[in-house]
Amino acid sequence: MVDLSHSPADEEFRAEARAWLAAHVPRTPFPSLETAEGFAAHRGWEGELAADRWSVVSWPKEYGGRDAGLLRWLVFEEEYWAAGAPGRVGQNGVSLLAPTLFEHGTQEQRARVLPSMATGEVVWAQAWSEPEAGSDLASLTSRAVRTDGGWLISGQKTWSSRAAFADRAFGLFRSAPDTPRPHQGLTYLMFDLRAPGVTVRPIGRLDGRPAFAELFLDDVFVPDEDVIGEPGQGWRIAMSTAGEERGLTLRSPGRFLASAHRLVELWRSRGCPEHARARVADALIGARAYQLFTYAAASRFLEGERLGPESSMNKVFWSELDLALHETALDLLEEDGESADTAWSEGYVFALAGPIYAGANEIQRDIVAERLLGLPKGRR
Amino acid sequence: MRFLPDAEQRAFTASLHAMLSAADTPAVVRDWSRGDHASGRALWSRIAEAGVFGLAVPQEYGGLEPHPVELALAFVELGRHAVPGPLVETVAAAVLLEDPPSAGRFLPGLVAGTDLATVAAPAGPALDGHASALRLALDGDAATLRLAVTADGLYLSTGAAGPVRRCLDPARRLTPLAPQGELLTADPPRERALTWGRLAVAAQALGVGLALLDRTVAYVGQRTQFGVPIGSFQAVKHRLADAMTALEFARPLVLGAATSLRPADVAAAKLKACEAAYGAARAALQLHGAIGYTAEFDLSLWLTRARALRTAWGAPEECRKLVLDDALKGPAGP
C-alpha cells in the first residue's frame, strides 16, 4: 500500500520542532554566512540549536542528536526551512565528514570530533579539489609523507568551501606515489586549518564574498589519530562520503519547498504576472516532485536498498531546480533583480554554484547514462 | 509513510506487462489505425480480464472498488505498450456513470470489457459544460458507449455526427458526437471524472516515455558509427540521462497524485509526465536519426502518442493554472 501520511509519533515530532523553531528562529536575518560577522552569528545559532538537540537530529543521542530516523530528518528539514531559519554553517562537516566517521572512523574519533561539530564550536571545511584535479579528482597530487607518529602533508587545495572562517578541514592526500591506478595510494585525513604550515587564502566568489579559499600546505603535521580508515584506502572511503553528498542528505526537499512557497508569494505580491506563470508553477511542481522522489528513495532505503547512482539524478534535478527558481524570482523583481541586497540575491549567487560543486552535473549525467542506463563507457 | 508500491501491486503490474509483451501490441495499433478493431477488441477483453477497468468501479457493479494507485500503475503499463483505444475515456465514463440507474445499466459492461466508452466534453476546463461546442471524442467509431457532457447534464449520444478526423497519431481516431439523446443525469460528477481521466493520462504518458527511453537506450547501444556504439558519445548519453531524470521525477508525482486525488496534484502529474514523455520522444527521434522518422518503424507509435497526450485532457497551461490557483489558496502543508 502506498501511504504518504506520517505516523502520529512523527507528527508529534513535527509539532515539537515547529514550536521550538517558532520560539527561537531569529526575527531579523543574520548577515551573510560568508562574512566574518555572519559566520560568527551562524555559529552561535548552531550552539542554540544544539542546546536543545536540534542541530543534528539524525545523529545518535551520545553525540548530541535525537536518534531521529531518515523520515524524521525529512520532517525536521521541512519545518526548519518553512520557519525561515538561517543557513547551516556546519553543513560540510555534518553531511560529508560525519557520515564517513560513522562508517569508517574509530570510536575515539567519533567521540572527539562529533560533539564539537554538533555545537558549531568546530566548523569543518572540505579540501577535495586541487588546481589540476576537479572533476578528475583522483588525479590529485597533494601528498602525505610518513613521519614519526603521523604524516606531513604538502600541496595545494582549492575551492575549499567555508575555509575562510572554518577551524578544521578534511580531504584526500597521496600517501603512496607511483601506484598502478590514480585511485590507489590515497589517504583520508583531518587537519587543523591553524596548524603551522597552513596558509589560507580566501577566494571571493562571484559576489566578492569569501565563500571558499585556497589552502597552501607545507609539511603540516597530522597525527595518526586524524587518519580516517586505513592509509591508502582514502578513495573508497571518500566515495562513500561522496555518495552521501550526492544522495539524500545534502539538500533536503524542505529547503526547496520553502523557497518555492516564497516564490509563489513573490509572484502574488507582484500581481500574478502572466509572463512568469509557467516558471512559478514549474518551480512549485519541481519542489514537490523532489520531495516525493526523496520520500520514495527514503522508503526504499528503509527497506534495506542501497541508493547508489540514482543520487546523480537527484543532484542534477535539485541544482537545476534551485537555479531556475531563483532566476524566476530575480526576473519577478524587475529592476531590483540586479540588487545585491534583496531576499533573493544571495540565494541566487549560491544557486549558481549548484550545478558545479559536489560533482559537476556533466559528471552526474555520465553516471546516470553509464550506471543506470547501462550505456557503454567512452571518451569524455 | 511508505511511498512505494507494495509486493502485490508490483506483481499486478508485472503480470500486466508480461501479458502485453506477448500481445504484439504494435500490430494491434496498426490494425486500429486502419479502423480494424478486431485485434484491439480482443486485447481490450484481456485487459478487462486483468481487472483494469474494475479499478474505477464499486464492487456492486462488478468492479474491484476504486483503486486509483493500482489504476495508475496499470495505465503506466498500457502506455508502455502503446495500447490503442479509449482507455482513459472508459475510466472517466465509469466515474460519470456512478449514479444508481446508469451505474447498474452500464458499469458491468465497462468492467467486463464488452463495452468501450468514449466521452465528448465541451471545450474549456473542468468538463464544466459552459462552452457550447463539444470536443471530438476519441475513437467514437470503435466505442460502443458514447457519452456527451453538456451544461445540462450527461447524455447518451445518438452517434457519430461526422467522419473520423485524421490525427498525427493515426491510432487516435477523433470523432464528432451528436449530443442529442437520452439524458442520463443532470448533474454528473464532472470534476471527479476529469481527475480520474487526467490521472490515467498522466500514468499512460509516463509509460509511453519509459518505452521511448528503453527503445532508444537499446538502439544507441547497438548502432555503431566511427567504429563505436553511438551510445558511448557524451552528447548522446547526456540527452538520455536528462530524459531519464525527467521521467523518474514525474513518476513520484503520478504516484502521489493517485494517492491524494487532489485535482491540483493530478494536474501537476499530468503536466510533468506528459512533458517528460514528450522530451523522451524528442530524444528518441533525434538519436534514432532518419529511421525514427519513418511511419514504418515501430518507434513512431510511441512518438506520435507522446505528442497527442500533451494536450489531451488538459493542455499544459490549463494544468499550471490549476496548480497555481490551488497554491494561492494557501499552503497545503508539507
Side-chain angles (χ1 to χ4, degrees):
Chain A
M1 161 168 180
V2 181
D3 181 9
L4 263 176
S5 61
H6 291 281
S7 68
D10 288 356
E11 287 299 345
E12 225 169 273
F13 172 84
R14 180 194 297 282
E16 191 188 345
R18 184 176 294 185
W20 189 91
L21 289 162
H24 290 82
V25 168
R27 298 206 189 286
T28 48
F30 291 149
S32 166
L33 177 58
E34 317 296 358
T35 61
E37 190 195 0
F39 199 91
H42 283 81
R43 195 199 280 269
W45 167 246
E46 291 298 324
E48 200 175 336
L49 283 165
D52 289 323
R53 292 186 176 268
W54 290 113
S55 70
V56 285
V57 293
S58 58
W59 288 12
K61 292 198 176 87
E62 58 181 308
Y63 303 121
R66 288 177 174 244
D67 268 319
L70 187 51
L71 292 176
R72 282 198 189 177
W73 178 76
L74 290 167
V75 165
F76 174 74
E77 288 283 307
E78 286 172 4
E79 292 302 321
Y80 186 88
W81 297 106
R88 304 298 303 272
V89 70
Q91 170 90 8
N92 275 307
V94 171
S95 71
L96 300 176
L97 178 57
T100 303
L101 287 172
F102 283 124
E103 204 173 326
H104 302 280
T106 64
Q107 189 61 35
E108 182 278 325
Q109 286 172 328
R110 287 193 281 270
R112 178 160 51 88
V113 172
L114 295 177
S116 61
M117 185 191 293
T119 59
E121 199 182 324
V122 174
V123 175
W124 291 80
Q126 52 83 6
W128 302 125
S129 295
E130 297 181 1
E132 300 304 326
S135 289
D136 182 12
L137 184 63
S139 68
L140 64 88
T141 57
S142 289
R143 44 185 208 286
V145 176
R146 195 77 189 114
T147 187
D148 200 20
W151 300 81
L152 292 172
I153 58 174
S154 298
Q156 187 183 346
K157 294 286 182 180
T158 192
W159 318 130
S160 178
S161 312
R162 303 290 99 72
F165 306 109
D167 308 295
R168 289 174 65 77
F170 53 92
L172 286 179
F173 293 83
R174 193 162 296 285
S175 53
D178 307 320
T179 53
R181 298 185 64 234
H183 309 77
Q184 298 166 340
L186 299 174
T187 295
Y188 196 133
L189 297 167
M190 301 180 280
F191 58 98
D192 195 327
L193 285 169
R194 295 183 191 100
V198 179
T199 306
V200 178
R201 190 182 76 80
I203 307 172
R205 76 176 169 196
L206 212 49
D207 64 356
R209 286 179 176 144
F212 41 25
E214 278 180 300
L215 309 177
F216 299 92
L217 307 164
D218 183 12
D219 281 343
V220 179
F221 178 70
V222 178
D224 282 329
E225 63 184 27
D226 283 343
V227 174
I228 302 177
E230 288 299 308
Q233 295 299 310
W235 184 260
R236 190 178 56 81
I237 294 165
M239 282 308 107
S240 72
T241 313
E244 287 288 339
E245 179 174 6
R246 285 191 297 264
L248 284 181
T249 53
L250 181 64
R251 292 287 177 264
S252 71
R255 182 185 182 119
F256 303 112
L257 275 173
S259 297
H261 289 141
R262 284 172 56 220
L263 181 67
V264 172
E265 283 313 308
L266 176 65
W267 184 64
R268 185 212 302 267
S269 74
R270 295 267 157 172
C272 302
E274 275 309 308
H275 66 81
R277 174 183 288 277
R279 293 161 73 198
V280 173
D282 287 352
L284 182 60
I285 297 168
R288 181 72 177 159
Y290 184 59
Q291 181 191 36
L292 292 174
F293 182 94
T294 303
Y295 276 125
S299 299
R300 285 198 302 278
F301 182 76
L302 292 172
E303 293 191 358
E305 233 180 83
R306 294 289 296 186
L307 295 176
E310 75 168 64
S311 59
S312 291
M313 288 197 293
N314 195 319
K315 157 88 208 294
V316 170
F317 190 86
W318 66 248
S319 58
E320 294 191 344
L321 167 66
D322 197 30
L323 190 48
L325 196 154
H326 283 86
E327 285 170 343
T328 306
L330 295 199
D331 286 350
L332 278 166
L333 292 172
E334 296 176 14
E335 287 83 23
D336 286 341
E338 65 174 301
S339 302
D341 58 0
T342 69
W344 294 92
S345 32
E346 184 155 23
Y348 167 70
V349 174
F350 185 64
L352 278 175
I356 302 168
Y357 63 72
N361 285 9
E362 286 68 26
I363 297 294
Q364 309 294 357
R365 289 185 169 96
D366 282 351
I367 293 171
V368 172
E370 290 169 13
R371 298 212 226 143
L372 293 175
L373 293 174
L375 293 177
K377 276 189 176 289
R379 283 192 59 80
R380 297 220 150 93
Chain B
M1 168 68 64
R2 188 185 173 283
F3 191 51
L4 279 183
D6 61 28
E8 201 179 327
Q9 289 164 332
R10 287 199 296 268
F12 169 61
T13 55
S15 70
L16 205 51
H17 176 63
M19 184 270 277
L20 294 168
S21 299
D24 190 14
T25 50
V28 176
V29 178
R30 291 185 188 283
D31 287 348
W32 193 272
S33 304
R34 286 192 303 271
D36 172 0
H37 301 128
S39 61
R41 287 294 300 257
L43 181 59
W44 193 277
S45 298
R46 302 188 61 189
I47 292 166
E49 257 169 55
V52 171
F53 302 115
L55 294 169
V57 172
Q59 216 158 12
E60 55 184 310
Y61 304 114
L64 299 161
E65 294 294 317
H67 282 297
V69 169
E70 283 78 1
L71 183 96
L73 295 172
F75 267 76
V76 173
E77 296 309 317
L78 299 177
R80 196 197 294 272
H81 293 276
V83 175
L87 296 157
V88 171
E89 289 67 20
T90 295
V91 167
V95 176
L96 285 170
L97 294 165
E98 70 180 7
D99 280 342
S102 300
R105 191 170 147 201
F106 298 111
L107 294 188
L110 294 184
V111 172
T114 47
D115 277 315
L116 291 68
T118 193
V119 183
L127 300 182
D128 61 6
H130 293 305
S132 50
L134 286 179
R135 281 183 175 143
L136 301 178
L138 181 65
D139 299 314
D141 57 339
T144 56
L145 179 61
R146 302 182 191 89
L147 302 175
V149 184
T150 76
D152 303 321
L154 177 66
Y155 289 86
L156 202 53
S157 164
T158 50
V164 172
R165 184 154 164 206
R166 247 166 49 83
C167 287
L168 292 176
D169 175 355
R172 287 176 60 89
R173 299 166 60 80
L174 295 183
T175 319
L177 290 192
Q180 303 85 359
E182 181 187 346
L183 176 67
L184 296 174
T185 168
D187 190 24
R190 295 179 168 93
E191 176 155 335
R192 284 208 319 113
L194 179 66
T195 298
W196 279 75
R198 199 168 264 167
L199 174 67
V201 178
Q204 191 184 17
L206 178 62
V208 168
L210 292 169
L212 285 160
L213 179 65
D214 283 352
R215 284 175 170 261
T216 309
V217 166
Y219 181 78
V220 302
Q222 46 102 10
R223 166 75 175 167
T224 62
Q225 286 289 277
F226 307 102
V228 292
I230 62 171
S232 66
F233 300 136
Q234 205 173 28
V236 170
K237 283 179 180 167
H238 287 193
R239 188 121 194 210
L240 289 171
D242 284 343
M244 179 182 192
T245 302
L247 288 164
E248 290 306 323
F249 278 86
R251 191 196 293 271
L253 286 174
V254 173
L255 194 60
T259 307
S260 79
L261 278 183
R262 295 180 68 245
D265 292 348
V266 173
K270 198 274 170 186
L271 170 73
K272 289 298 156 185
C274 289
E275 266 186 2
Y278 188 69
R282 287 290 318 281
L285 175 56
Q286 186 65 26
L287 300 179
H288 276 81
I291 187 72
Y293 189 63
T294 64
E296 172 193 352
F297 195 63
D298 282 345
L299 188 76
S300 67
L301 309 180
W302 284 269
L303 289 177
T304 51
R305 188 69 48 84
R307 174 35 252 167
L309 296 181
R310 262 173 83 86
T311 40
W313 287 86
E317 288 318 304
E318 188 181 332
C319 292
R320 289 192 173 98
K321 185 173 181 337
L322 274 163
V323 170
L324 285 177
D325 287 352
D326 180 69
L328 290 173
K329 277 189 283 180

